[in-house]
């Protein structure tokens, strides 16, 4: 499959707007170029394989836990942000039954093609083009998806926002905010544990971690109303 990623004059590298998107192997010695191409292919394949395997493992674990318990397990036991875990599971689900070319895609391409807002026919067409040896840069993918949206092929709802790369890495600010939220939730659990009997505490835990509650789109408002009743 490495021929799909060879830099050949006959292949379309990217749109004319991105003529310099790919690395110029002519800038290094032939033996170094050959080595780098092989390394890029191996790294790309290992990343794709790892993401898919991690996604499958997470999905298997999720079957045994409620939504809330699964998120806590991912954050604390796996040490992975929930957003990253969800992205990996989407990739694994999307990749099932797909052609071997999927294993050679970069993480960025995997996340883009498996995103909920990426149309199935668009993803299928992209895979066919990749299988045929065409080289498509992630920047070009984003531009085409934006064009689809502007042409109203995707509608204008929030779920059709312009697709961006879902990176396993999170920003320092996001990490700080996430840790602060977890600290507050731990404080809440500790207060409840001290003030409630073991039976009442377990009932509260079941309620606040149930799928119905956690998936409620009006959860913040409903929580505010519930607590206001006893103020």
């Amino acid at each position: 499959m490495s021929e799909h990623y060879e830099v050949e004059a006959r292949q379309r590298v990217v749109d004319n707007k991105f003529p310099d998107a790919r690395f110029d192997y002519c800038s290094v010695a032939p033996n170094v170029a050959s080595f780098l191409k092989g390394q890029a292919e191996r790294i790309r394949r290992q990343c794709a394989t790892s993401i898919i395997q991690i996604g499958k493992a997470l999905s298997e674990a999720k079957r045994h836990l409620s939504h809330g318990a699964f998120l806590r397990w991912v954050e604390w036991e796996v040490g992975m942000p929930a957003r990253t875990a969800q992205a990996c599971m989407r990739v694994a689900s999307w990749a099932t039954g797909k052609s071997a070319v999927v294993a050679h895609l970069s993480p960025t391409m995997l996340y883009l093609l498996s995103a909920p807002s990426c149309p199935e026919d668009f993803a299928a067409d992209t895979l066919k083009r990749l299988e045929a040896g065409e080289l498509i840069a992630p920047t070009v993918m984003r531009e085409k998806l934006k064009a689809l949206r502007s042409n109203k092929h995707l509608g204008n709802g929030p779920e059709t926002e312009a697709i961006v790369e879902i990176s396993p890495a999170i920003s320092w600010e996001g990490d700080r905010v996430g840790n602060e939220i977890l600290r507050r939730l731990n404080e809440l659990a500790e207060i409840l544990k001290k003030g409630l009997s073991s039976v009442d505490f377990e009932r509260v835990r079941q309620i606040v971690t149930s799928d119905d509650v956690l998936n409620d789109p009006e959860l913040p408002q409903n929580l505010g109303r519930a607590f206001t009743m006893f103020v």
Side-chain angles (χ1 to χ4, degrees), residues 14-218:
V14 288
D15 286 353
N16 292 332
K17 292 187 295 182
F18 305 96
D20 301 318
R22 291 186 66 83
F23 179 78
D24 181 13
Y25 283 106
C26 294
S27 64
V28 297
N31 62 323
V32 175
S34 178
F35 168 76
L36 291 176
K37 291 177 185 178
Q39 288 293 84
E41 171 66 13
R42 280 187 287 273
I43 293 171
R44 191 165 48 239
R45 186 168 58 247
Q46 289 172 359
C47 285
T49 300
S50 295
I51 291 170
I52 293 171
Q53 290 179 343
I54 289 171
K56 289 180 178 179
L58 289 168
S59 296
E60 291 171 359
K62 192 175 187 298
R63 297 193 188 102
H64 302 282
L65 300 168
S66 68
H67 181 71
F70 174 72
L71 293 180
R72 290 198 303 277
W73 178 79
V74 166
E75 292 276 0
W76 288 97
E77 301 302 321
V78 180
M80 175 184 292
R83 182 167 175 262
T84 302
Q86 291 166 349
C88 289
M89 289 190 291
R90 279 198 301 269
V91 169
S93 176
W94 173 82
T96 301
K98 297 291 191 301
S99 66
V101 73
V102 169
H104 297 262
L105 298 180
S106 68
T108 301
M109 292 291 278
L110 287 173
Y111 293 131
L112 283 171
L113 292 174
S114 64
S117 47
C118 181
E120 292 184 9
D121 55 347
F122 180 87
D125 178 67
T126 300
L127 285 181
K128 288 181 180 179
R129 292 164 60 189
L130 292 169
E131 289 170 352
E134 187 173 345
L135 300 174
I136 307 174
T139 48
V140 175
M141 285 280 296
R142 292 193 189 92
E143 289 300 316
K144 290 187 179 297
L145 287 165
K146 288 179 182 179
L148 282 174
R149 182 179 178 231
S150 65
N151 290 333
K152 298 183 179 181
H153 288 175
L154 296 179
N156 295 312
E159 72 279 0
T160 61
E161 299 266 339
I163 298 174
V164 296
E165 176 180 0
I166 304 173
S167 172
I170 59 175
S171 65
W172 179 87
E173 178 66 17
D175 194 23
R176 184 189 66 78
V177 173
N179 287 338
E180 176 61 18
I181 291 174
L182 285 174
R183 186 193 66 77
R184 294 179 185 178
L185 290 175
N186 287 337
E187 180 182 359
L188 172 62
E190 184 177 358
I191 292 172
L192 293 173
K193 183 67 175 178
K194 290 179 178 179
L196 300 175
S197 68
S198 58
V199 174
D200 288 341
F201 179 82
E202 177 58 23
R203 179 54 184 157
V204 170
R205 187 195 68 77
Q206 291 175 356
I207 293 173
V208 298
T209 61
S210 66
D211 288 343
D212 290 343
V213 171
L214 292 172
N215 293 327
D216 178 11
E218 297 184 359

